């Protein structure tokens, strides 16, 4: 594909920054195709290249790609969180609002993974209601279950909401239910 041709051209020109950019581009393309293990490998190569060159600016996009790949693979959640927090701190300093929003979304996705909701609940006072919106639950694979329904079954201060509007196209109706 054209990204690999870009990588070869940059390697032939001995332009190490653009080699790193090309590797990250391949990683981002692989992530977009759902090939998260390959995306992770390419982004890790890119970040290593950026760091070797002292080109810190490039590392933040690579951190984002690595973290998103780790999240998708359900691996190393603490590393993913650290990378995302480092990226969002940098993006705030740059007033990069779109990048901040993308990073915040990735952090929210990480928090939703199984176990995170139970950990959040365990830190709440018993008189505090935890409401978990599962409007898109019908689109998830069984292995993406966040444990919220299970928690609602055994904890009186947990409410899980669902809706017909997403899966059945009834957005204007605002019809839903809770557990």
């Amino acid at each position: 594909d054209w990204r690999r041709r870009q990588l070869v051209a940059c390697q032939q020109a001995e332009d190490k920054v653009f080699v790193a950019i090309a590797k990250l581009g391949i990683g981002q393309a692989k992530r977009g195709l759902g090939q998260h293990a390959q995306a992770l490998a390419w982004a890790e190569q890119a970040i290593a290249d950026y760091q070797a060159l002292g080109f810190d600016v490039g590392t933040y996009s690579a951190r984002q790609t690595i973290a998103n790949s780790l999240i998708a693979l359900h691996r190393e959640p603490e590393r993913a969180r650290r990378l995302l927090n480092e990226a969002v701190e940098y993006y705030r300093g740059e007033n990069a609002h779109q990048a901040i929003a993308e990073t915040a979304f990735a952090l929210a996705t990480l928090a939703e993974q199984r176990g995170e909701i139970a950990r959040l609940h365990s830190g709440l006072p018993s008189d505090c209601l935890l409401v978990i919106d599962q409007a898109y639950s019908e689109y998830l694979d069984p292995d993406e279950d966040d444990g919220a329904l299970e928690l609602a079954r055994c904890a009186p201060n947990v409410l899980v909401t669902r809706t017909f509007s997403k899966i059945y196209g009834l957005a204007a109706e605002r019809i839903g239910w809770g557990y």
Side-chain angles (χ1 to χ4, degrees):
D1 73 351
W2 71 270
R3 293 251 185 218
R4 288 186 190 268
R5 289 193 305 275
Q6 175 191 16
L7 175 60
V8 170
C10 293
Q11 288 170 328
Q12 289 172 345
E14 298 182 12
D15 189 328
K16 294 178 181 181
V17 171
F18 279 97
V19 166
I21 291 169
K23 288 178 181 179
L24 180 58
I26 293 170
Q28 290 170 334
K30 295 293 184 185
R31 194 186 100 192
L33 294 170
Q35 299 170 355
H36 301 290
Q38 292 177 24
L40 178 61
W42 282 105
E44 285 180 329
Q45 288 179 41
I47 201 168
D49 289 355
Y50 284 135
Q51 289 171 334
L53 295 165
F55 191 70
D56 273 352
V57 172
T59 67
Y60 294 100
S61 291
R63 290 168 206 243
Q64 180 102 15
T65 301
I66 291 168
N68 282 316
S69 297
L70 291 170
I71 292 167
L73 294 166
H74 296 276
R75 292 181 14 201
E76 302 182 62
E78 291 306 315
R79 179 178 175 213
R81 185 182 334 276
R82 179 182 49 80
L83 290 168
L84 290 169
N85 285 332
E86 291 167 357
V88 81
E89 184 178 322
Y90 170 77
Y91 294 141
R92 281 186 183 135
E94 297 295 313
N95 287 325
H97 300 292
Q98 179 65 33
I100 292 168
E102 290 170 8
T103 306
F105 180 78
L107 283 165
T109 301
L110 180 61
E112 290 174 1
Q113 286 185 345
R114 189 170 192 87
E116 292 292 315
I117 290 176
R119 185 172 29 229
L120 171 66
H121 177 258
S122 70
L124 293 176
S126 61
D127 62 344
C128 180
L129 179 64
L130 176 60
V131 179
I132 303 160
D133 178 7
Q134 289 191 334
Y136 293 95
S137 63
E138 289 85 4
Y139 296 103
L140 299 176
D141 292 327
D143 66 333
E144 295 175 305
D145 175 28
D146 60 11
L149 282 179
E150 182 180 324
L151 186 60
R153 285 187 187 101
C154 57
N157 65 335
V158 176
L159 174 66
V160 176
T161 62
R162 297 261 178 105
T163 181
F164 289 111
S165 61
K166 303 298 188 260
I167 190 73
Y168 298 108
L170 301 171
E173 301 301 319
R174 305 283 188 232
I175 301 171
W177 70 97
Y179 295 97

